[in-house]
Amino acid sequence: EEMRKQKVQEYKEKFANPYVAASRGYVDSVIVPEETRNILLHALEVSVEKKVELPEKKHGLPPF
């Protein structure tokens, strides 16, 4: 039982840790729960003003 607890703790430190995933590049950033609302509001504010500009079509339908 003691060995199992030790292995579970080792697993949590190695794999169930968001900071390890961030250091390896699997996630962009780790958000602290207290900052979640502010980060989401900022992301929504930025995306409201976003415009996607597509290039003009070079060719239309060819005549048949």
Side-chain angles (χ1 to χ4, degrees):
E1 184 64 27
E2 185 63 33
M3 182 62 143
R4 183 180 184 281
K5 288 181 181 179
Q6 181 183 3
K7 290 295 182 181
V8 168
Q9 183 63 29
E10 183 180 329
Y11 175 83
K12 286 181 181 179
E13 290 173 1
K14 282 187 176 180
F15 302 109
N17 186 343
Y19 299 104
V20 173
S23 69
R24 293 183 180 170
Y26 296 132
V27 293
D28 292 332
S29 64
V30 178
I31 301 172
V32 181
E34 294 85 27
E35 298 176 0
T36 303
R37 182 178 302 248
N38 292 335
I39 291 174
L40 286 175
L41 287 174
H42 175 66
L44 290 173
E45 288 171 356
V46 170
S47 66
V48 164
E49 298 174 3
K50 182 176 179 180
K51 281 188 171 181
V52 177
E53 295 183 17
L54 299 175
E56 295 182 20
K57 292 183 179 179
K58 291 185 177 180
H59 306 287
L61 291 173
F64 291 105

